[in-house]
Amino acid sequence: MAAHRSGPLKQQNKAHKGGRHRGRGSAQRDGKGRLALKILSKKVRKELSRVDQRHRANQLRKQKKEAVLAEKRQLGSKDGPLHQVLVVPLHERISLPEAFRLLQDKDTGTVHVNEWGSTHSFMLLCPRLKHRWFFTSARPGDLHTVLDMAKVADTIIFLLDPLEGWDSTGDYCLSCLFAQGLPTYTLAVQGASGLPPRKQIDARKKLSKAVEKRFPDDRLFLLDTQQEAEVLLRQLANQKQRHLAFRDRRAYLFAHAADFVPSEGNNLVGTLKISGYVRGQTLNVNSLLHIVGQGDFQMEQIDAPMDPFPLNPRVIKSQKDPGMAMEICAPDALADMEEDLKVLMKADPDKQESLQTEVIPDPMEGEQTWPTEEELSEANDFLKKSSKVVKKVPKGTSSYQAEWILDEDGESGGEDEYDDMEHGDFIEEESQDEGSEKEEEEEYETMTMGESVHDDLDDENVDDEAEEKMLEKYKQERLQEMFPDEVDTPRDVAARIRFQKYRGLKSFRTSPWDPKENLPQDYARIFQFQNFTNTRKRIFKEIEEKDVEGAEVGWYVTLHVSKVPVSVYEYFKRGAPLIAISLLPHEQKMSVLNMVVSRHSGNTEPVKAKEELIFHCGFRRFRASPLFSQHTAADKHKFQRFLTADVALVVTVYGPITFPPASVLLFKQNSNGMHSLIATGSLLSVDPDRMVIKRVVLSGHPFKIFTKMAVVRYMFFNREDVLWFKPVELRTKWGRRGHIKEPLGTHGHMKCSFDGKLKSQDTVLMNLYKRVFPKWTYDPCVPEPVPWMKSEISLAVPEVDME
């Protein structure tokens, strides 16, 4: 058998290089450090040895630990702000006075009790633990108070029931707090010692299992004795603080005292003096101050009185009797505070931020786009006053019908022309015009119609009407889910008039649309950034790097706020918390806010676009009528008629500029005065150029089908409409594409061509688009809600105002 011999074209592979493979360490040892300059610089910066990497990791770990310890030591210390603690009972069986009695231990430290209306608070100064606490309380039913105080609280204590943990009111409160953003919190159980000894262990296991859903891996503390209260205080003093980004970049202050000095000419407006500890960032007198729920104001000056709650009070010995000593505490130091008052800063008019919120539009500036309602009404009045033209018309013809009898030159026709026309044409035209006026009237009513929250339900038939309106809204939402954006072509008005503001697009994603065309008049009143992202980065960088002159964090100061209504001071005297926040540059100006929200699972009633809602955006609280749109990365975003529950949507609304991150909560006021949470999310951007496009879909049915041709009817009802919408592309529910070839007859039938054979059960659709804008209904004054009751929250769907 002959052996195989390879030919001259056999592939010759390279021989394998034997020997030991060299790594980076062996190359460095052989080179003995002799490396090129470029390579050496890179090695020093990026490639460290294992020992150097370990040292660097240890240094970073040590720096982080020192930063955390410094933050712990500053909060509540003699040089830092008071450790503000909010106590929230989550069950109706919780006794708040009993919890405060345990925390007000005279052996632990000095206690100063304050009572402002319905709000109870006290100071606890503990020299042994070198810590100062300020305890406040709020019931879960008082929703706005809980949310406002949680925005500035350093720690929240949730008081739980040993058997149930929290009730429906407490669960609703927790949902709102989690959506807003929780600071540091602690869970305390009250009343566990009152249970039988055999049931205490079972109750604790059952409670821990229930708490894991809301607070995973969190420890439960008992609060029944003085020893347990001391353990809880040590936990509050030593636990790590959680940060909320929307408050750490701004200076804020919780008012411990307030005074009002009316102005000379008007007693209803004056200077409000707010005293408290500066938190967050350094407070500059030239920046604007926002009082939560009241508005934006300017500051005149900042004073630095003596701290009324020192950790180690000064001791003054009497000259007559050296054995007698007196401690200076808050009530005894009022005279000394007046003497030690120092003026830190006074406002500079050249550097002070302006209170201008809107742009004053110039009617002669910019191009003329769509006429306003005032201009249309003026034109109608002018036409009514114009001279009348004599025309020859038959008997019985109204003046309105005579306006339609025109020849090609625009002059009135003769009797011969009229004889060729049927009387039914006039009736049809009159009904079309009346229908068009009715259609337009209905359209404007639905756009301007808001949720009436101030009407008194005195009429006996109001409940029946509310039920009918709610049923209608449910039907509309159901139809929107089954037939998205489909509308019926009106028969009493021409489609080219009804949809004259709409346009067709070759592709919704790629077709161009100028964001500056056909803007409403409200857009002349707002501010817009050239690049919002770069402006936000620049402002945040200045906060971190630039040294701002003003009151430092931890100082006890008095702010002189000018031109404040006396109602703000009365609001504070009634027991409501007074919270002041320093605004960043441009945050007082109006613009278009875009927020990403998700529907809250506890609310299922239909929420239509442009309904009046209540917003909690960062520190602000206001009312507005928003738009809903899809959350996509395209340049055009499809308008949503209802707030859907399955996906996240973008809410667009007119409002004051706020730099994200900022939490967003959406509430709806019911007929009984309560506010129900409908959606939660965060602020996305401030961008007036974000285009929200509304789509309407006109549907038609195939009448006769040929190979790739079909006669379609019921999409339009006259020949002129078919010719008007001829350039718009058609599509079908089964994926065919086509266009209109020509109209057939005078009843709206049209011959259409498609890219494939059409099925008889298919439906022909035409998409039309127009840009929509939110309504300017911004109102910074939000009415106080009625407190939530357990019996009303236990329902699956809260009561809804249908006005």
Side-chain angles (χ1 to χ4, degrees):
M1 183 176 180
H4 173 71
R5 295 181 181 180
S6 59
L9 300 179
K10 180 187 176 182
Q11 178 180 348
Q12 297 293 334
N13 295 328
K14 293 173 64 176
H16 177 67
K17 293 181 179 180
R20 185 170 59 89
H21 294 282
R22 301 180 64 193
R24 187 181 64 181
S26 62
Q28 290 178 355
R29 285 192 299 269
D30 295 343
K32 296 181 180 180
R34 293 190 297 269
L35 299 173
L37 183 60
K38 290 184 178 180
I39 300 177
L40 180 62
S41 62
K42 292 182 180 179
K43 295 291 183 183
V44 170
R45 284 202 309 265
K46 295 183 179 179
E47 298 181 3
L48 301 176
S49 63
R50 291 186 178 180
V51 178
D52 294 338
Q53 291 177 4
R54 192 179 298 114
H55 284 325
R56 186 175 65 176
N58 290 335
Q59 289 175 355
L60 293 176
R61 191 181 303 112
K62 185 178 180 181
Q63 291 175 2
K64 291 181 180 180
K65 287 182 66 175
E66 289 177 353
V68 172
L69 289 175
E71 184 182 6
K72 286 182 181 179
R73 290 165 183 163
Q74 184 184 14
L75 183 62
S77 63
K78 61 178 182 179
D79 299 326
L82 295 177
H83 190 158
Q84 187 163 338
V85 182
L86 174 62
V87 182
V88 180
L90 296 180
H91 202 280
E92 60 180 4
R93 290 199 292 262
I94 298 296
S95 176
L96 194 59
E98 178 64 20
F100 272 22
R101 185 188 64 81
L102 295 175
L103 295 172
Q104 295 174 2
D105 187 10
K106 301 294 184 182
D107 298 334
T108 305
T110 307
V111 179
H112 302 287
V113 181
N114 295 325
E115 291 191 7
W116 304 322
S118 59
T119 303
H120 301 278
S121 61
F122 68 93
M123 303 279 184
L124 179 60
L125 312 178
C126 182
R128 178 165 54 88
L129 296 178
K130 299 180 180 180
H131 212 82
R132 298 185 295 175
W133 287 280
F134 175 56
F135 288 90
T136 58
S137 63
R139 286 284 178 181
D142 195 358
L143 189 60
H144 286 320
T145 303
V146 174
L147 293 178
D148 291 344
M149 298 186 72
K151 292 174 184 176
V152 296
D154 298 313
T155 304
I156 298 179
I157 298 180
F158 293 114
L159 297 181
L160 307 179
D161 183 72
L163 297 178
E164 299 180 6
W166 52 75
D167 54 11
S168 56
T169 311
D171 185 70
Y172 176 75
C173 178
L174 285 176
S175 299
C176 298
L177 288 175
F178 272 97
Q180 179 178 263
L182 269 182
T184 308
Y185 60 88
T186 302
L187 306 178
V189 182
Q190 186 189 69
S193 61
L195 299 176
R198 296 181 179 179
K199 293 185 178 180
Q200 289 184 7
I201 299 177
D202 295 339
R204 188 175 181 85
K205 289 181 180 179
K206 188 181 296 184
L207 181 61
S208 300
K209 189 175 181 180
V211 166
E212 275 187 7
K213 299 178 182 179
R214 286 277 192 181
F215 308 96
D217 302 328
D218 282 326
R219 180 184 172 187
L220 294 175
F221 292 87
L222 300 178
L223 188 59
D224 290 326
T225 61
Q226 293 289 352
Q227 292 78 10
E228 294 170 351
E230 290 185 5
V231 173
L232 181 60
L233 289 176
R234 290 184 179 274
Q235 168 66 15
L236 297 178
N238 296 325
Q239 66 182 351
K240 182 180 178 181
Q241 294 296 313
R242 300 176 63 181
H243 294 274
L244 296 179
F246 72 92
R247 76 179 185 185
D248 288 343
R249 291 189 174 95
R250 299 168 177 84
Y252 58 97
L253 179 142
F254 183 86
H256 293 281
D259 190 15
F260 184 78
V261 179
S263 59
E264 297 179 358
N266 188 3
N267 293 331
L268 300 178
V269 179
T271 301
L272 180 66
K273 298 180 180 180
I274 306 174
S275 300
Y277 294 90
V278 180
R279 302 170 183 269
Q281 295 289 334
T282 303
L283 180 59
N284 193 318
V285 70
N286 294 321
S287 61
L288 295 180
L289 200 69
H290 174 73
I291 300 178
V292 176
Q294 306 298 329
D296 303 336
F297 305 96
Q298 289 180 331
M299 290 180 284
E300 296 178 354
Q301 69 181 36
I302 300 179
D303 300 338
M306 190 184 71
D307 192 346
F309 305 103
L311 185 61
N312 298 311
R314 291 184 299 173
V315 178
I316 301 176
K317 293 186 178 180
S318 175
Q319 296 180 356
K320 298 180 180 179
D321 190 359
M324 295 181 62
M326 179 179 64
E327 290 187 355
I328 303 297
C329 58
D332 303 327
L334 296 177
D336 292 346
M337 287 173 60
E338 295 294 335
E339 295 177 0
D340 298 341
L341 188 64
K342 298 179 182 179
V343 178
L344 286 180
M345 291 184 67
K346 286 192 175 183
D348 187 359
D350 297 333
K351 299 180 181 179
Q352 200 170 24
E353 291 282 346
S354 172
L355 283 173
Q356 181 183 4
T357 60
E358 302 177 14
V359 179
I360 301 175
D362 186 3
M364 303 301 295
E365 195 175 74
E367 72 171 306
Q368 178 70 24
T369 55
W370 194 260
T372 62
E373 295 182 2
E374 292 80 4
E375 293 173 345
L376 293 175
S377 61
E378 290 177 1
N380 292 332
D381 295 339
F382 178 76
L383 291 176
K384 290 179 181 178
K385 296 178 182 179
S386 62
S387 60
K388 298 181 180 180
V389 179
V390 179
K391 295 183 180 181
K392 293 182 180 181
V393 295
K395 294 182 180 180
T397 305
S398 64
S399 60
Y400 172 76
Q401 292 173 343
E403 295 290 338
W404 287 87
I405 307 177
L406 300 175
D407 55 10
E408 294 180 356
D409 296 332
E411 298 177 356
S412 59
E415 295 181 359
D416 297 336
E417 289 181 328
Y418 179 76
D419 292 337
D420 296 333
M421 303 176 65
E422 297 180 357
H423 293 276
D425 296 336
F426 288 104
I427 299 174
E428 183 179 359
E429 289 175 355
E430 185 176 2
S431 62
Q432 287 181 359
D433 189 80
E434 291 175 357
S436 63
E437 291 180 355
K438 183 179 179 181
E439 180 68 25
E440 292 179 0
E441 184 180 358
E442 291 178 356
E443 181 181 355
Y444 284 116
E445 284 182 356
T446 54
M447 290 178 62
T448 58
M449 185 175 177
E451 182 186 7
S452 178
V453 295
H454 302 290
D455 294 339
D456 297 328
L457 302 180
D458 297 331
D459 193 359
E460 297 179 354
N461 299 325
V462 169
D463 293 336
D464 296 336
E465 294 177 0
E467 289 294 330
E468 292 294 331
K469 291 182 179 180
M470 175 60 76
L471 180 60
E472 185 64 26
K473 289 178 68 175
Y474 273 110
K475 288 182 179 179
Q476 293 179 5
E477 187 180 31
R478 180 60 177 166
L479 287 175
Q480 177 65 21
E481 293 177 359
M482 296 175 62
F483 307 100
D485 301 326
E486 289 193 31
V487 297
D488 295 331
T489 305
R491 303 193 62 178
D492 53 354
V493 62
R496 61 185 182 277
I497 298 176
R498 171 64 179 85
F499 303 109
Q500 60 184 345
K501 295 183 180 180
Y502 290 82
R503 70 180 70 175
L505 294 179
K506 180 70 176 178
S507 172
F508 182 79
R509 184 179 62 87
T510 61
S511 295
W513 196 311
D514 187 6
K516 300 296 185 183
E517 68 171 302
N518 293 337
L519 297 178
Q521 288 293 327
D522 291 334
Y523 263 53
R525 303 164 58 185
I526 64 174
F527 291 85
Q528 182 178 3
F529 295 99
Q530 187 174 4
N531 192 322
F532 176 74
T533 304
N534 291 348
T535 304
R536 173 178 171 271
K537 289 181 179 179
R538 177 181 57 81
I539 292 177
F540 286 176
K541 189 175 181 180
E542 290 178 357
I543 295 174
E544 296 175 358
E545 298 178 357
K546 188 176 179 181
D547 294 333
V548 181
E549 296 182 358
E552 298 291 338
V553 177
W555 290 4
Y556 186 83
V557 298
T558 299
L559 309 180
H560 294 249
V561 189
S562 59
K563 298 180 181 179
V564 180
V566 68
S567 59
V568 179
Y569 180 67
E570 296 174 351
Y571 177 76
F572 173 74
K573 282 301 182 182
R574 290 198 301 266
L578 195 62
I579 300 169
I581 303 97
S582 176
L583 297 179
L584 299 179
H586 312 297
E587 284 197 328
Q588 80 279 9
K589 301 173 182 176
M590 295 292 292
S591 188
V592 178
L593 306 183
N594 301 308
M595 315 167 187
V596 181
V597 301
S598 299
R599 186 68 181 268
H600 182 55
S601 58
N603 191 285
T604 57
E605 83 237 10
V607 179
K608 204 171 182 180
K610 298 184 180 180
E611 287 189 19
E612 190 177 75
L613 301 178
I614 298 172
F615 287 76
H616 280 249
C617 181
F619 280 104
R620 292 189 180 273
R621 190 167 67 233
F622 57 89
R623 289 186 295 177
S625 301
L627 294 179
F628 304 138
S629 61
Q630 292 181 351
H631 183 32
T632 59
D635 61 339
K636 296 181 288 294
H637 310 273
K638 184 175 167 298
F639 170 75
Q640 296 290 324
R641 289 174 170 81
F642 290 89
L643 183 62
T644 56
D646 51 349
V647 294
L649 296 180
V650 175
V651 174
T652 303
V653 68
Y654 290 112
I657 294 172
T658 304
F659 290 102
S663 59
V664 173
L665 283 77
L666 270 66
F667 294 88
K668 187 175 181 180
Q669 184 161 359
N670 304 331
S671 59
N672 52 9
M674 296 189 300
H675 293 176
S676 57
L677 180 66
I678 63 173
T680 60
S682 61
L683 182 62
L684 177 63
S685 65
V686 180
D687 185 14
D689 286 343
R690 188 181 187 275
M691 292 185 291
V692 180
I693 308 299
K694 182 178 181 180
R695 182 184 72 172
V696 296
V697 180
L698 306 182
S699 59
H701 302 276
F703 180 54
K704 294 180 181 179
I705 301 175
F706 304 98
T707 306
K708 290 188 177 181
M709 302 287 293
V711 177
V712 180
R713 60 179 178 178
Y714 302 147
M715 181 177 290
F716 304 108
F717 298 99
N718 58 71
R719 185 184 185 90
E720 290 75 13
D721 287 344
V722 177
L723 293 173
W724 181 268
F725 290 100
K726 185 178 179 180
V728 183
E729 186 183 17
L730 300 176
R731 68 178 181 90
T732 68
K733 289 189 175 181
W734 287 16
R736 295 300 181 191
R737 297 279 178 174
H739 60 277
I740 301 173
K741 295 287 288 184
E742 59 181 355
L744 297 178
T746 59
H747 291 75
H749 292 200
M750 55 188 181
K751 184 187 295 184
C752 303
S753 175
F754 295 92
D755 57 356
K757 188 174 181 180
L758 202 64
K759 302 293 184 181
S760 60
Q761 60 269 33
D762 203 353
T763 304
V764 182
L765 305 175
M766 176 182 289
N767 295 337
L768 300 176
Y769 304 92
K770 78 168 181 178
R771 186 178 179 185
V772 291
F773 302 91
K775 294 168 55 180
W776 192 294
T777 58
Y778 172 77
D779 186 6
C781 299
V782 178
E784 289 296 325
V786 176
W788 281 96
M789 303 302 293
K790 180 180 178 181
S791 59
E792 295 174 347
I793 294 186
S794 60
L795 300 176
V797 180
E799 186 179 352
V800 182
D801 181 19
M802 298 311 303
E803 288 295 318

